[in-house]
Amino acid sequence: MPKSFYDYTKLKKRMKDMRYTQTTLAREVPMDRQTLNTKLSHRSMFKQNEISGIARVLDIDAEELGSYFFTLVVRKDRQMLGSQEKSKSNTRIKDS
């Protein structure tokens, strides 16, 4: 079974829009900058308290958390949808 990754593009854009770097966001959450980098680089998963802290600092509503933290990146060439095989490209699918 292929490993799934979450798409943090929207989270990174929110950081940029609010003028946060990984260092400044980590300081505000608080968490170690290297820990934040590890999670944004898919080498570790976010913990609930980290998600809550980031949401507080970046002013992300609870209803929007899924789109920032739980949108899967799915490689279509490795996934089957019904009986149709998808072409080779990447797409984003929201995890339910």
Side-chain angles (χ1 to χ4, degrees), residues 24-41:
T24 58
L25 179 61
R27 190 177 302 133
E28 291 290 321
V29 169
M31 66 190 296
D32 188 71
R33 184 207 54 85
Q34 291 173 322
T35 301
L36 179 59
N37 180 270
T38 297
K39 292 164 192 274
L40 290 172
S41 301

Side-chain angles (χ1 to χ4, degrees), residues 6-36:
Y6 292 111
D7 182 357
Y8 299 126
T9 303
K10 188 172 180 180
L11 178 60
K12 291 176 183 179
K13 182 179 181 327
R14 180 71 165 221
M15 288 170 59
K16 184 177 180 180
D17 291 347
M18 295 187 73
R19 301 178 189 263
Y20 279 97
T21 64
Q22 289 184 23
T23 301
T24 58
L25 179 61
R27 190 177 302 133
E28 291 290 321
V29 169
M31 66 190 296
D32 188 71
R33 184 207 54 85
Q34 291 173 322
T35 301
L36 179 59

Side-chain angles (χ1 to χ4, degrees), residues 29-71:
V29 169
M31 66 190 296
D32 188 71
R33 184 207 54 85
Q34 291 173 322
T35 301
L36 179 59
N37 180 270
T38 297
K39 292 164 192 274
L40 290 172
S41 301
H42 304 108
R43 294 188 306 261
S44 181
M45 301 285 288
F46 281 102
K47 296 177 183 174
Q48 288 180 348
N49 65 323
E50 295 165 339
I51 291 171
S52 295
I54 292 169
R56 176 184 47 80
V57 173
L58 297 180
D59 196 29
I60 299 170
D61 291 332
E63 300 82 33
E64 297 181 86
L65 287 178
S67 65
Y68 284 91
F69 291 95
F70 303 110
T71 299

